Amino acid sequence: MKTPTRVGVFGLLGSGNLGNDGSLEAVLGYLRAEHPGAVVDALCGGPEAVTTRFGIPATRLHWNRAEYRTASRAGAIAGKGLGKLVDVFRTAAWVRRHDVVIVPGMGVLEATLPLRPWGFPYSLFLLCASGRLLGTRVALVSVGAATIVNRPTRALVRWSARLAAYRSYRDAQSRDAMRAMGVDTARDEVYPDLAFSLPTPPAGTPSGTVCLGVMDFHGGNDDRARAEEIHRRYLDGTIRFVRALVEEGRPVRLLTGDECDASVVAAILDAVDSPLVTAAEPASLADLMKEMAAADTVVAVRYHNLICALKTGTPVLALSYAAKSDALMDRMGLGAYCHPAREVDADRLLEQFRALEKRSAELRRTLAERNQDASRQLRHQFTALTAALFPATGHTHDRQESP
């Protein structure tokens, strides 16, 4: 009797970020359809949530449960240091139990939001190094990447990518960024984000509703000195925009993409006291897509909020905080409808919003075509993944790169 393939999934999964969990959902859908005999478990940020929602065993990513809290006392700092050492052996032991480990999508090779090198970049490096040393294939599947300024973070990300057995990216600029950081990308492919493979809900009846996807936005890794200024400008501009829509009688539905975004929803509801402004509590990308499919137009910040709008065929205006959002919008035919999240100008945003709505019917047709292309490309992605990681069912395609 053939031994089942042991597949691990790895990342900040089950930690409250809907986009990360949507990427996991997409990969689990692929595994269940194409490799139903595979035995799957996770090493992740929120193991209880992953097991509850997806029905797979899960192990906590870090030995130190206070990993993502700021350490100030000597004891807490020592605990973090000990945790980093313990995680070397925990990660290796977990990797050893698997034939394949998949890192499903996510921006694991970028630092467009605040990030410390000894956080997730260190964890990813431990994973990829363990995979290389122990002969377990590690696959970075349709991931995001960006050029990183911080030298320790850049080094960890570069070595993680080099040590992986398989890499694909969610846009061409991600591949270009890794090439610029010294990774040989000659055989790396570009495919759409994994969330484009998720089921799409039926379109709703036009109601005039505008969905506004918000974010607890304080800038990126290089903006720490002016983080509060950026946040205040983003919030003030967004509130002015919502007030303008309400004055026109438009219903506004506030949406989040991460648990931390709730504070922004509360601030907007407090500032704009109107029954036209309501808030949803989405628990998945499917929930987000249902809301957006019923809207006339979407305005959103988070990358996967944009994807949900695009996938449902709803015209969307991006409050863009990184080049990845601009690239996504351009690829889907809406490149003209981007607005800088760091410098929200409510008047200019309203102009772009009205221009977007005037072209709504045309843009819906464009999105239908681009979504068909994305679905076809992701079928190729999953075929390539099978060939690379499951040689018993596909063609052997070992493309590990020498460090």
Side-chain angles (χ1 to χ4, degrees):
M1 182 176 176
K2 184 181 175 183
T3 303
T5 303
R6 300 162 299 174
V7 180
V9 289
F10 176 96
L12 293 177
L13 310 165
S15 300
N17 184 283
L18 303 187
N20 291 0
D21 290 356
S23 298
L24 172 60
E25 182 181 353
V27 162
L28 291 178
Y30 151 72
L31 290 171
R32 287 163 180 161
E34 301 298 328
H35 305 283
V39 176
V40 184
D41 73 306
L43 184 63
C44 60
E48 298 86 0
V50 166
T51 297
T52 299
R53 180 176 171 193
F54 298 105
I56 60 174
T59 302
R60 187 171 298 280
L61 181 59
H62 302 289
W63 174 79
N64 179 15
R65 288 176 175 261
E67 171 62 31
Y68 291 107
R69 297 177 203 150
T70 300
S72 55
R73 298 194 315 273
I77 294 171
K80 280 202 170 189
L82 177 60
K84 296 303 173 189
L85 179 61
V86 173
D87 285 345
V88 172
F89 301 98
R90 289 179 74 253
T91 302
W94 182 81
V95 168
R96 184 191 292 274
R97 299 198 299 268
H98 298 85
D99 302 300
V100 170
V101 174
I102 296 175
V103 180
M106 306 177 286
V108 297
L109 301 178
E110 64 183 45
T112 52
L113 295 175
L115 183 71
R116 300 293 190 188
W118 53 85
F120 187 76
Y122 175 77
S123 300
L124 183 66
F125 171 73
L126 291 184
L127 173 80
C128 295
S130 297
R132 174 60 67 93
L133 289 170
L134 299 171
T136 298
R137 291 166 177 247
V138 174
L140 310 179
V141 182
S142 198
V143 298
T147 303
I148 297 170
V149 175
N150 180 274
R151 291 180 65 182
T153 303
R154 184 172 67 243
L156 287 168
V157 164
R158 179 173 62 242
W159 278 100
S160 296
R162 285 177 170 176
L163 292 167
Y166 175 90
R167 295 181 298 268
S168 65
Y169 306 97
R170 63 188 181 191
D171 51 48
Q173 67 183 31
S174 292
R175 181 171 60 184
D176 293 344
M178 294 314 298
R179 183 184 300 122
M181 287 193 288
V183 177
D184 180 3
T185 62
R187 289 175 287 178
D188 297 354
E189 297 293 337
V190 173
Y191 299 100
D193 190 274
L194 292 170
F196 278 105
S197 70
L198 296 173
T200 308
T205 304
S207 61
T209 298
V210 178
C211 279
L212 178 63
V214 303
M215 180 178 180
D216 185 24
F217 179 62
H218 293 76
N221 217 38
D222 302 323
D223 298 319
R224 291 179 182 272
R226 49 191 292 259
E228 285 310 310
E229 173 196 340
I230 288 171
H231 180 68
R232 175 46 56 189
R233 184 163 185 173
Y234 158 71
L235 188 57
D236 288 348
T238 301
I239 288 171
R240 284 189 61 205
F241 177 68
V242 172
R243 282 182 178 143
L245 292 177
V246 169
E247 287 172 4
E248 296 176 1
R250 298 293 295 270
V252 178
R253 188 74 163 155
L254 304 178
L255 304 174
T256 58
D258 193 292
E259 291 174 355
C260 67
D261 300 335
S263 62
V264 178
V265 170
I268 294 172
L269 290 174
D270 186 56
V272 187
D273 184 13
S274 169
L276 288 173
V277 184
T278 57
E281 296 183 0
S284 66
L285 293 190
D287 291 345
L288 280 174
M289 283 191 274
K290 287 176 186 174
E291 294 281 351
M292 293 176 176
D296 285 17
T297 311
V298 175
V299 179
V301 189
R302 284 195 178 273
Y303 185 77
H304 280 93
N305 280 23
L306 294 174
I307 287 178
C308 287
L310 295 166
K311 184 163 171 53
T312 59
T314 307
V316 58
L317 199 163
L319 288 174
S320 176
Y321 67 85
K324 63 183 179 183
S325 299
D326 298 335
L328 171 66
M329 294 287 284
D330 189 59
R331 188 167 66 245
M332 297 299 287
L334 278 78
Y337 302 103
C338 294
H339 188 95
R342 286 174 178 78
E343 299 176 1
V344 176
D345 180 327
D347 294 332
R348 173 63 182 145
L349 187 59
L350 278 166
E351 288 178 13
Q352 290 180 286
F353 174 79
R354 287 167 182 144
L356 176 70
E357 292 213 313
K358 284 180 181 177
R359 294 184 59 204
S360 180
E362 172 194 348
L363 293 173
R364 285 179 181 271
R365 290 191 293 271
T366 298
L367 288 174
E369 295 170 2
R370 301 294 170 95
N371 277 312
Q372 288 181 347
D373 290 342
S375 295
R376 184 176 63 253
Q377 292 171 47
L378 279 172
R379 287 195 292 271
H380 291 316
Q381 161 71 101
F382 291 135
T383 299
L385 197 59
T386 290
L389 302 184
F390 302 91
T393 55
H395 300 288
T396 301
H397 182 57
D398 189 355
R399 40 168 312 296
Q400 291 202 48
E401 172 190 340
S402 297

